[in-house]
Amino acid sequence: MWGRKDDPFDRPTMNFALPARPLFSKLSLWSLNAGYRGLHLSPGLTAKEFYEVLVVGGGTGGVSMSARMRRKLGVGKVAIIEPSEKHYYQPMWTLVGAGAKPLSDSGRTTASIIPSGVKWIKSRVQEFDPEKDLVRTADGKEVSYKYLIVAVGLELHYDKIKGLPEGFGYPKVGSNYSVKYVEKTWKALQDFREGNAIFTFPNTPVKCAGAPQKIMYLTEDYLRKTGKRSKANIFYNTSLPVIFGVKKYAEALLEIVEDRDIEVNYRLNLTEVHADKCKAVFEKLDHPGEEVDFEYEMLHITPPMGPWKVVGQSRLADANGWVDVDKDNLQHRKYPNVFGIGDCTNLPTSKTAAAVAAQSSILNKTISKVMKNKKATHKYDGYTSCPLVTSYKTCILAEFDYDGNPLETFPFDQSKERRTMFHMKADVMPPLYWHVLLKGLWGGPAPFRKLMHLGKK
């Protein structure tokens, strides 16, 4: 997700024409000793467009932070670079793939969700140049900044599985991770007759790590309701050694899979799909070189994922290609006027919209301090949430921190399946997303958690 080629830049605020022999080769807008990096202009380079805050990426983190920065700085001082015409609330795709929500409910035009007073640059970043405090876009523009927020998300790599993405041209194969393929999941589920229903989890970081299981539980529930369960074998083939990373919720999920006769196969990674033969090939991660084949009547694929190449090849990346930020305050480790949020960062927590919400609150405080030449003091605890839908009417609301400790909002055991939590997932969270989070007004449930627990941890 990251947008009008014919749209002129409407208010350049800086246009320096330097003499052939300048008195200085670099112009610093503020002191490096104060912990900032300035805008550097070399002879022959003209900064055609400048913004106090430049946000790259129009996903959840980018839009919410542009809204917060617009309120802080005013009209015309914040810009967001995003190429996509459409913005999607992707957590809804779990329900779309199970036929519980229409795909149209999950999307809105990007133009409708860009905050008023924020400039939308409809293009894609081709290069980050933090040494000069600017980015270069695919249409040849240079946009400079005083502060940069990187929120480009991550990239899906269906092509790293042999036989994909062309395999999606056949029936029985779907994926809730793509707007292109999510409705194919629902079609495969409706067309299921008898055989194996297989759900995969790749050997890479993923966004919304609970999503592969959610569609599995919904599939099992659907097959029971339609009288087909006795003819179905359900497999969860995961590259991980555990069903879920937080012990409390893992124990609850293990009870569910046992009760519903779902087979979990650990340390299996999907490497190839023979869609014409309805066969999936998995490598055994603990036995290099060994493979196992599965025939399927339905195959739900969670693709390998990774950082965008434009980030990985820049000075902003760590050794693995993610934006290298401090896990406490989300400030870049090398460039103090650069910040990261969401799936593109190397923050050691799950990549979810709930995590972005909590991060946006901390990042807002961090930038406010940095703008005042002060040290950031507020710390992100790694909070994230994963509403684990377990049927068409129940859900486990998993909430936890960096250390994998439950960090639950409500004063009851959230590892239990509850109808109220399903309605929160299906009916409360979407409007909260569109009308509160994207407007920069929601920083996670921490205040409510404190109220619910009467101030106790």
Side-chain angles (χ1 to χ4, degrees), residues 214-225:
K214 298 175 193 180
I215 186 59
M216 176 180 70
Y217 299 129
L218 286 165
T219 294
E220 196 277 337
D221 192 27
Y222 178 84
L223 295 177
R224 267 191 290 115
K225 293 180 185 298

Side-chain angles (χ1 to χ4, degrees), residues 53 63-78 115-118 360-361 364 368 371 435-443:
V53 175
V63 174
S64 61
M65 286 308 302
S66 65
R68 288 177 181 269
M69 294 298 101
R70 156 64 179 84
R71 283 198 298 274
K72 187 183 300 292
L73 299 173
V75 175
K77 295 185 177 181
V78 180
S116 176
V118 172
S360 70
S361 176
N364 185 56
S368 296
M371 286 178 172
H435 303 298
V436 188
L437 175 54
L438 289 187
K439 296 185 183 301
L441 301 173
W442 176 251

